[in-house]
Amino acid sequence: MKQTLFIVGARGAGKTTIGNVLAEVLSYQFIDTDENVQVSCGMTIAELVEQRGWDYFRKLESETLKAVSQQNRVISTGGGMILAAENRQYMRQNGVVIYLQAPAAVLVERLSLNPENSQRPSLTGKSITEEITGILAEREPLYRECAHLIIDATLSIENIVCDIKSYILGQYKQII
């Protein structure tokens, strides 16, 4: 069973945490597109956006998505990866897209506990609650559009990984 798994969702949904555990359970390699972009350009996303702008970052993000996509990988994508229609289509056609869905209140709580401000620049300059609520309202349809599987990100890590693994194994059995 060789697949590429793409994890999408808002900041704070748990994409990196779930991705790491899932990759370990499946014996896949874990890739974080945001981390990859930062390593390749030698600066944080906040610095990159400040120096080159959001459009440049989004272009790099899309290039990174294609560059890291290989079988036997779990790829955690940046929260805005789904903004480009080509990225949504690419992920759907080249792997299994898992949407970690969480309500705004949960995301705000998680981000408040672990802000990582240097890595996660404000998109709007609003308070974290206003920003997350607005962004989630805008992006929810896009996350849903590209997802093969929608998972409740408020469940325990073990339950989330188990649900994803069951889905993947179920998909595999249908192919045989």
Side-chain angles (χ1 to χ4, degrees), residues 8 54 57-58 61-62 78-88 91 123 135 138-140 142-143 145-146:
V8 301
W54 279 107
F57 168 70
R58 293 293 178 213
E61 186 179 53
S62 295
M81 184 69 78
I82 47 77
L83 292 173
E86 74 176 82
N87 291 345
R88 295 192 304 275
M91 289 186 290
L123 297 170
I135 288 170
E138 172 195 329
R139 295 180 181 177
E140 177 77 16
L142 304 176
Y143 289 130
E145 175 191 316
C146 67

Side-chain angles (χ1 to χ4, degrees), residues 1 20-30 71-74:
M1 173 180 63
N20 270 307
V21 175
L22 187 61
E24 197 175 310
V25 165
L26 296 173
S27 298
Y28 278 21
Q29 183 181 2
F30 175 73
Q71 292 186 335
N72 292 8
R73 282 192 173 171
V74 175

Side-chain angles (χ1 to χ4, degrees), residues 145-170:
E145 175 191 316
C146 67
H148 292 96
L149 176 65
I150 299 173
I151 294 280
D152 179 352
T154 64
L155 297 172
S156 70
I157 293 170
E158 295 76 18
N159 284 348
I160 291 171
V161 170
C162 188
D163 286 353
I164 295 170
K165 189 176 173 189
S166 296
Y167 176 83
I168 300 301
L169 293 174

Side-chain angles (χ1 to χ4, degrees), residues 60-132:
L60 264 184
E61 186 179 53
S62 295
E63 290 169 2
T64 299
L65 175 68
K66 292 177 181 77
V68 302
S69 295
Q70 292 180 20
Q71 292 186 335
N72 292 8
R73 282 192 173 171
V74 175
I75 300 169
S76 167
T77 64
M81 184 69 78
I82 47 77
L83 292 173
E86 74 176 82
N87 291 345
R88 295 192 304 275
Q89 183 179 359
Y90 180 86
M91 289 186 290
R92 268 202 76 84
Q93 290 175 347
N94 292 283
V96 176
V97 184
I98 300 149
Y99 169 31
L100 293 182
Q101 182 183 45
V106 170
L107 298 172
V108 168
E109 183 182 340
R110 288 179 181 175
L111 291 171
S112 298
L113 292 171
N114 185 18
E116 292 182 57
N117 287 330
S118 65
Q119 188 185 346
R120 297 177 164 144
S122 170
L123 297 170
T124 61
K126 297 178 180 175
S127 76
I128 192 166
T129 304
E130 287 178 312
E131 181 170 301
I132 294 296

